[in-house]
Amino acid sequence: VGRLGDQTVSTGGAAGALPTTDEAMVGRADELVSVWDALQYHHVVSIIGVGGMGKTRLATEAAAGVVHRFADGVWWCDLAAANSPDAVAQVVLAALVAWQSPGRSGVESIVDSLAGRDALVVLDNCEHVLPTARDLVRVVRSSCRDVRFLSTSREALGVGGEYLIVVSSLPDHEAFELFLVRAVVARLICRSATISAPWPVGSARVWMASRWRLSWLRPDAGR
Ligand SMILES: Nc1ncnc2c1ncn2[C@@H]1O[C@H](COP(=O)(O)OP(=O)(O)OP(=O)(O)O)[C@@H](O)[C@H]1O
Ligand SMILES: [Mg+2]
């Protein structure tokens, strides 16, 4: 749920809502604390790393943990499918549950919507629209001093004052844990599809498997 002006907006399941998942996050405790700390002291924080490293997953968890810090909400903008400056502006406007005003550009309308707000805007998957995302952040930052940005990208945005958090591979035992959880879930999905159990039973088993942290695999388990 976010709030813009007098308007309280339920973003559950809609544009702007944080992505949800039933799967527990494996590891990344240090990175999570780093993002939370950085968001306290920096207006632009970027999670960077090579593809598939878990940047979006980390940003999701990080954003969920700071919702209470922003009086006007946390707004999630998935830029993966935005392939032009106009498309980027439209994704952000949709996330903010705002509209482009007549005679105003998309970016100007975003500024109008965020002016005076205490909000966090998450720009997820920026790599293919870096110059546009960079300009957007610069323009909004120059007009809306209480708006913060969290971005995920394979490279830095390149704006002044940007704080970078580099995500690298999980340590071996956590990568193995993630692999095993995925394998167990995949196997249970296949088995659920072939047995004639009612669907809630199959779904519950998949959910339980995804929550299963396989802690016995950790090198320090049982100590
Ligand atoms: N620490 C983790 N715990 C559980 N699942 C994870 C973790 N890291 C990544 N994943 C899962 O791995 C997949 C890829 O992660 P994610 O999409 O976050 O990567 P990414 O770095 O954002 O990739 P891209 O650069 O393509 O945007 C997703 O399904 C995500 O949920
Ligand atoms: Mg991503």
Side-chain angles (χ1 to χ4, degrees):
V1 175
R3 192 152 43 79
L4 285 175
D6 298 334
Q7 196 187 12
T8 299
V9 184
S10 169
T11 57
L18 300 186
T20 55
T21 174
D22 277 341
E23 293 183 16
M25 184 151 97
V26 175
R28 300 290 189 212
D30 290 347
E31 289 91 338
L32 201 47
V33 171
S34 299
V35 179
W36 286 333
D37 284 350
L39 283 171
Q40 212 160 349
Y41 302 109
H42 303 273
H43 281 83
V44 183
V45 176
S46 295
I47 299 173
I48 61 169
V50 300
M53 206 46 81
K55 302 180 293 295
T56 295
R57 188 71 181 79
L58 176 62
T60 307
E61 209 77 25
V66 295
V67 167
H68 63 282
R69 286 195 207 164
F70 295 91
D72 293 308
V74 173
W75 305 90
W76 186 274
C77 311
D78 181 359
L79 301 180
N83 51 12
S84 68
D86 191 46
V88 168
Q90 295 309 320
V91 168
V92 176
L93 281 170
L96 295 172
V97 201
W99 289 265
Q100 188 165 342
S101 312
R104 305 282 283 162
S105 71
V107 174
E108 286 168 343
S109 302
I110 292 167
V111 169
D112 294 344
S113 154
L114 287 170
R117 308 294 174 219
D118 170 26
L120 174 67
V121 178
V122 186
L123 300 177
D124 185 34
N125 300 314
C126 295
E127 47 278 327
H128 58 297
V129 285
L130 267 187
T132 306
R134 180 185 308 132
D135 291 347
L136 171 67
V137 170
R138 278 190 185 137
V139 172
V140 173
R141 283 287 311 127
S142 66
S143 311
C144 313
R145 67 186 176 87
D146 289 330
V147 172
R148 291 179 189 238
F149 285 93
L150 174 63
S151 82
T152 81
S153 178
R154 295 180 192 178
E155 293 167 57
L157 287 178
V159 296
E162 178 180 16
Y163 187 88
L164 298 180
I165 292 175
V166 181
V167 173
S168 47
S169 318
L170 287 167
D172 282 352
H173 67 281
E174 286 173 349
F176 187 51
E177 178 178 340
L178 183 54
F179 169 77
L180 273 185
V181 169
R182 285 291 162 86
V184 169
V185 170
R187 179 150 174 78
L188 285 180
I189 288 171
C190 292
R191 287 189 58 191
S192 297
T194 52
I195 61 175
S196 56
W199 70 264
V201 175
S203 302
R205 289 169 61 197
V206 170
W207 183 84
M208 282 190 298
S210 68
R211 291 266 150 186
W212 184 32
R213 297 300 311 273
L214 298 172
S215 52
W216 51 271
L217 283 168
R218 294 179 190 283
D220 55 353
R223 274 185 214 158

